[in-house]
Amino acid sequence: MPLLADRSQRQARRVALVAGALAVLTACGGAATTRPQATATADDWPAVLREAEGQTVNWYMYGGDDALNGFVKRYLADRLRAQGVTVNQVRITDTVDAVNKVLAEKQAGRDSAGAVDLIWVNGENFATGKQAGLWHCGYPRDLPNATHVDLTDPAVRFDFGVPVDGCESVWQQADSALVYDSAALGAGDVESVSSLFAWARAHPGRFTYPALPDFTGSMAVRTFLYDSVGGRDALGTTVDDPEFTAAADRLYRALDDLEPSLWRGGSTYPASQDDVTRLYGSGEIDAFLTYGPGSVAQSVRDGVFPASTRETVLSVGNIANNSFVAIPYNARHKAAAMVLANQLLDPDTQLELYRATGAYPAVDLSALPLVERAAFDAVDLGPSVLPISELTAHTLPELPASFVTRIESDWKTRVLQR
């Protein structure tokens, strides 16, 4: 089990990234540097395909999901190969590592032929990269398959409160849910955050969440925050507002009260969501929050999770966001990266992604022909996984990136180091 120091180091790297980005902006006087453009632009798609022929797109992405890795290696790679493009999946454990790579190239003056062609990114990392001028922009709405996306949807137009401004392309939807062993928890135990906490106090050591800034751990704490105040409107508009200060104090009191009931008495926290799922699979815990409810089906089929595994949405609702891909401003293979971004939005690709990984579609299902919608409805992920209709019935908005950064920083000092 990785030590918590590892996660603290990752937090330090996030801080270093922000500091480095601001240093770049300061050195440039706040003005954007000259950005080399792709020869072809997305509004001339035949030209993009011609330029992409023979290129390899280096896609930096989280590599800890075996089902997703298989989808990329087989289905997606085959579709790109038919268009003359090779996919090189560069697996990383933390998106900040890829963004730092681009930032280092910018600081070194490498404004073309960059090593990174595409990054799976959102939230704080997108916001920091945008502030530092790291993204190639202007292409997403011109991708041929963008017609399948509701570009007016706030979840597509904004990424954790930051305007996308054509600097990243959506490719899957993430919804949170509570995963639990129905042999250990009843329906009443998973009805609400308060009933879950009550069950945890009655069964110490059987629930936990990963240490922040882990993406899912951060989601868990934000879910608890929403529940403690009743929704987004009670948090104010900035982290300096008295509403947010009061809400945060209430949150950390609740977490202090919960901590002795967590795995290992709260003396330590799992370093990552992967560690949490391993604890569940080994029977050390009975419940956890996830951002990937669809992926639970494969774990049940493989016997990693018990057949009695079920999912639910707590009464407060579930946090949802979209995952995006972004092309660095200095990417060597922008055309190939656009071809990949476009392929990800193909309805058949979205359907296979849903079947293979349980990742919920980013395309607007309501706008698809009836037969294509029926194909999504026909996907059977088993009794452990919630249908899309139930999962999306009560979604909560993501907080702005500045709120997320503050929560992750405060959790470290007010929970981890207390």
Side-chain angles (χ1 to χ4, degrees):
M1 183 78 61
L3 298 176
L4 273 178
D6 295 338
R7 300 308 294 179
S8 299
Q9 290 163 1
R10 287 186 184 180
Q11 174 69 11
R13 291 206 303 276
R14 286 177 187 265
V15 174
L17 170 60
V18 174
L22 294 177
V24 170
L25 291 174
T26 302
C28 295
T33 59
T34 301
R35 302 181 185 181
Q37 300 296 312
T39 303
T41 55
D43 58 355
D44 185 356
W45 197 248
V48 171
L49 292 176
R50 288 193 297 271
E51 183 179 324
E53 179 76 30
Q55 290 186 349
T56 294
V57 54
N58 296 304
W59 186 10
Y60 283 63
M61 62 184 297
Y62 171 68
D65 186 328
D66 290 340
L68 180 57
N69 294 338
F71 165 81
V72 173
K73 184 177 180 179
R74 290 183 286 274
Y75 182 92
L76 189 61
D78 287 346
R79 297 305 179 279
L80 269 291
R81 192 177 300 111
Q83 299 171 78
V85 173
T86 299
V87 179
N88 176 35
Q89 181 192 14
V90 182
R91 301 178 188 179
I92 55 177
T93 57
D94 198 322
T95 303
V96 73
D97 295 331
V99 180
N100 264 337
K101 191 175 188 70
V102 180
L103 180 62
E105 290 179 343
K106 185 180 179 95
Q107 290 172 322
R110 186 177 176 181
D111 290 332
S112 61
V116 183
D117 295 313
L118 196 68
I119 305 176
W120 173 5
V121 67
N122 66 351
E124 301 153 278
N125 290 310
F126 170 72
T128 301
K130 187 182 181 191
Q131 185 181 20
L134 300 186
W135 308 129
H136 173 62
C137 305
Y139 62 91
R141 68 173 49 251
D142 290 326
L143 297 174
N145 284 325
T147 57
H148 302 300
V149 178
D150 181 3
L151 297 174
T152 67
D153 185 349
V156 176
R157 293 174 52 235
F158 296 90
D159 186 348
F160 282 70
V162 178
V164 168
D165 290 336
C167 297
E168 58 181 355
S169 176
V170 67
W171 74 288
Q172 64 169 297
Q173 179 178 312
D175 291 272
S176 64
L178 179 73
V179 180
Y180 67 99
D181 186 349
S182 61
L185 291 87
D189 299 321
V190 297
E191 182 179 355
S192 65
V193 171
S194 59
S195 65
L196 176 65
F197 283 10
W199 176 87
R201 285 190 288 270
H203 301 83
R206 307 301 297 177
F207 176 69
T208 193
Y209 60 92
L212 281 62
D214 177 272
F215 196 61
T216 306
S218 181
M219 173 274 291
V221 171
R222 296 197 302 277
T223 300
F224 304 152
L225 173 64
Y226 274 133
D227 184 74
S228 70
V229 297
R232 168 70 182 90
D233 294 340
L235 296 175
T237 56
T238 75
V239 294
D240 297 319
D241 287 348
E243 294 91 340
F244 179 78
T245 300
D249 288 342
R250 185 172 178 178
L251 167 69
Y252 293 115
R253 286 196 299 271
L255 294 182
D256 284 345
D257 181 60
L258 175 68
E259 190 170 69
S261 304
L262 296 177
W263 175 72
R264 292 189 176 177
S267 62
T268 187
Y269 289 78
S272 69
Q273 182 69 3
D274 289 342
D275 292 327
V276 170
T277 57
R278 280 193 286 269
L279 289 173
Y280 181 79
S282 66
E284 291 189 60
I285 62 172
D286 295 315
F288 65 95
L289 284 156
T290 183
Y291 249 139
S295 65
V296 168
Q298 189 63 50
S299 295
V300 173
R301 285 194 293 267
D302 291 344
V304 176
F305 289 175
S308 51
T309 297
R310 295 293 183 269
E311 293 175 351
T312 192
V313 173
L314 298 168
S315 60
V316 64
N318 61 326
I319 294 176
N321 63 57
N322 282 320
S323 290
F324 296 83
V325 289
I327 302 173
Y329 83 104
N330 64 341
R332 182 188 297 268
H333 304 125
K334 289 189 178 74
M338 286 189 283
V339 171
L340 195 159
N342 183 63
Q343 185 63 49
L344 288 171
L345 295 178
D346 174 73
D348 287 341
T349 299
Q350 290 275 297
L351 178 60
E352 181 59 26
L353 179 65
Y354 182 38
R355 284 175 177 151
T357 72
Y360 294 96
V363 295
D364 183 4
L365 297 182
S366 66
L368 293 179
L370 185 59
V371 65
E372 294 188 5
R373 271 183 284 165
F376 282 91
D377 292 337
V379 175
D380 182 10
L381 296 178
S384 295
V385 177
L386 288 175
I388 294 178
S389 58
E390 291 186 34
L391 191 67
T392 59
H394 188 189
T395 57
L396 299 165
E398 285 287 10
L399 290 172
S402 59
F403 279 69
V404 176
T405 299
R406 178 65 172 271
I407 290 167
E408 292 175 353
S409 175
D410 285 353
W411 184 91
K412 182 179 178 181
T413 57
R414 300 182 67 171
V415 176
L416 182 61
Q417 297 175 347
R418 181 180 55 83

